[in-house]
Amino acid sequence: VSLAALKVAGLVGILLLAGCASTRDQWQRTLAADHQAVYERFLHDHPRAPEAALARERLEQRRAAEAWSRIEASTDPADFTEFLGRHSGSKLATSARTRLEQVVSERDWNRILASDRFEDFQTFLQAHPGSAFARDATARLRGLMARERWAELRSSEDEAALADFCARYSGT
């Protein structure tokens, strides 16, 4: 091995170390800034750096947080569905799913609020068993059942059936 070859190899090594130091320095500055544009710049400059995977993850978290701040108070289910389509792996996905269920259950509740149909309340309870409106839907369904049963028994002289009705539907 010639002296010239050793000098070239040494220079290449120094340049590689300097590049690594430069990458590490830029990564530290990127972490300190913790801003979407800075992560994007780091990935542009160092797409294969060891820190690139973490930079992509943090960039996605930033994008998800920005998107969430725009839709968090929305009442449009499409906003949450779109968010979940784009950010299903984000830490905010659970919040988006919860909010989507709240928005949809409220929309569905408002649609049946004036209804007198058993099927509407049964369908609502099947779709939204844990919603904030489930207790009210159950009470409405029970009231509709009582009203229908009373219409059948109103002129009845069957004391056992009337006693059963009173026991079953007292307070309704």
Side-chain angles (χ1 to χ4, degrees), residues 142 159-172:
R142 187 168 162 76
E159 290 183 24
L162 290 170
D164 177 62
F165 175 83
C166 291
R168 183 175 301 197
Y169 297 108
S170 68
T172 302

Side-chain angles (χ1 to χ4, degrees), residues 16-60:
L16 286 173
L17 287 174
C20 289
S22 172
T23 301
R24 277 195 302 266
D25 290 344
Q26 187 175 356
W27 177 243
Q28 291 305 315
R29 288 190 303 274
T30 300
L31 288 174
D34 197 29
H35 189 273
Q36 183 174 329
V38 180
Y39 287 115
E40 288 169 347
R41 183 66 197 179
F42 179 85
L43 288 168
H44 178 267
D45 293 347
H46 308 285
R48 289 185 203 71
E51 300 87 350
L54 184 54
R56 283 185 197 89
E57 182 182 321
R58 291 199 176 181
L59 180 58
E60 170 52 26

